[in-house]
Amino acid sequence: MRRLIALLTLLIAACALHAQAQDPALLKQVLDQLASHPQVRANFQQTRENPALAAPQVSQGKLLFVIGHGMLWQTTAPYQDTLALTGSRTARVDDKGQLQTVRNGDRGVAQVSQMLQGMLAGKPDEALRQFNVDAQGTSTQWTLRFTPKQARMARVLTAITLNGGQFLEGIDIALHSGEQTHIRFSDTRKAGALSALEQHALGNP
């Protein structure tokens, strides 16, 4: 999860300019569609490829997202760890539901949480401030490719690509170092009733 946070933090450094999508109508359709699902669950698989590594690093887990409250990112393999990302706060959740604030890198973690919550809620401003966006496809099978506008970021980040249909299905992050991270979501569905632990971790939505 720390690797995911470090990479996605590149999305949301402050800048005064808004991104311009090549197909703004499609972008609006996609964001409206994502926002129409206020509570979702999904499984994920994250694969990190690095030229310095002999083999990709793979982790798996579950995601719960609730518009206006945040998300639970639960890694189940190769280790177990659950984080509650609520925008202004990031906390580790133990098996008894107790929350322990994650203090190292709080600012970056909070930014990542806010970016993801904004995109899934159909409010992309924080993610679009310093990227050009190429929107392609249709509302049922779309791809959004984000490329940095500022030279400083472009020296590190090649592109971030989101793809999906009714739901977000994948995130691909490519760095100029050759490192790539691929996140695939599966079995995305309405969240249904939240457990007492989930409600507590997300502030009783």
Side-chain angles (χ1 to χ4, degrees):
M1 181 61 188
R2 287 191 296 271
R3 290 189 294 272
L4 171 66
I5 290 170
L7 292 170
L8 289 181
T9 299
L10 295 170
L11 273 170
I12 26 66
C15 181
L17 298 177
H18 286 266
Q20 298 296 317
Q22 290 186 16
D23 189 343
L26 176 60
L27 178 60
K28 185 178 186 305
Q29 285 182 326
V30 169
L31 296 179
D32 288 347
Q33 187 162 270
L34 292 175
S36 69
H37 307 289
Q39 296 188 173
V40 297
R41 297 183 189 273
N43 300 330
F44 72 82
Q45 178 170 295
Q46 178 180 318
T47 303
R48 179 195 177 206
E49 300 176 355
N50 189 315
L53 299 176
Q57 296 180 330
V58 179
S59 59
Q60 298 176 333
K62 300 177 181 179
L63 172 72
L64 168 66
F65 170 74
V66 180
I67 286 180
H69 290 271
M71 65 183 70
L72 291 180
W73 185 276
Q74 180 183 10
T75 301
T76 57
Y79 56 88
Q80 294 191 359
D81 187 41
T82 300
L83 290 181
L85 304 168
T86 57
S88 61
R89 182 188 185 192
T90 299
R92 181 160 281 107
V93 185
D94 66 21
D95 56 7
K96 296 181 180 179
Q98 299 299 312
L99 304 180
Q100 180 179 2
T101 299
V102 177
R103 299 190 180 281
N104 293 333
D106 271 0
R107 182 172 179 272
V109 172
Q111 287 176 322
V112 170
S113 174
Q114 290 166 357
M115 183 278 293
L116 288 175
Q117 290 178 60
M119 289 295 295
L120 293 174
K123 299 176 181 179
D125 287 356
E126 288 303 315
L128 298 182
R129 289 187 183 278
Q130 58 177 327
F131 289 88
N132 292 312
V133 184
D134 180 14
Q136 297 185 357
T138 67
S139 60
T140 58
Q141 194 62 55
W142 48 266
T143 299
L144 305 179
R145 180 178 170 85
F146 296 75
T147 53
K149 299 173 73 171
Q150 294 185 337
R152 181 173 61 86
M153 180 176 285
R155 286 194 293 268
V156 177
L157 175 67
T158 301
I160 296 174
T161 303
L162 309 182
N163 64 79
Q166 181 181 7
F167 299 102
L168 177 65
E169 297 173 0
I171 302 173
D172 296 290
I173 305 166
L175 304 183
H176 277 293
S177 65
E179 182 174 328
Q180 298 187 51
T181 296
H182 310 285
I183 305 168
R184 295 293 175 265
F185 300 103
S186 61
D187 193 24
T188 305
R189 69 275 187 195
K190 293 181 180 179
L194 274 60
S195 69
L197 185 152
E198 291 169 339
Q199 293 182 45
H200 175 64
L202 293 179
N204 296 313

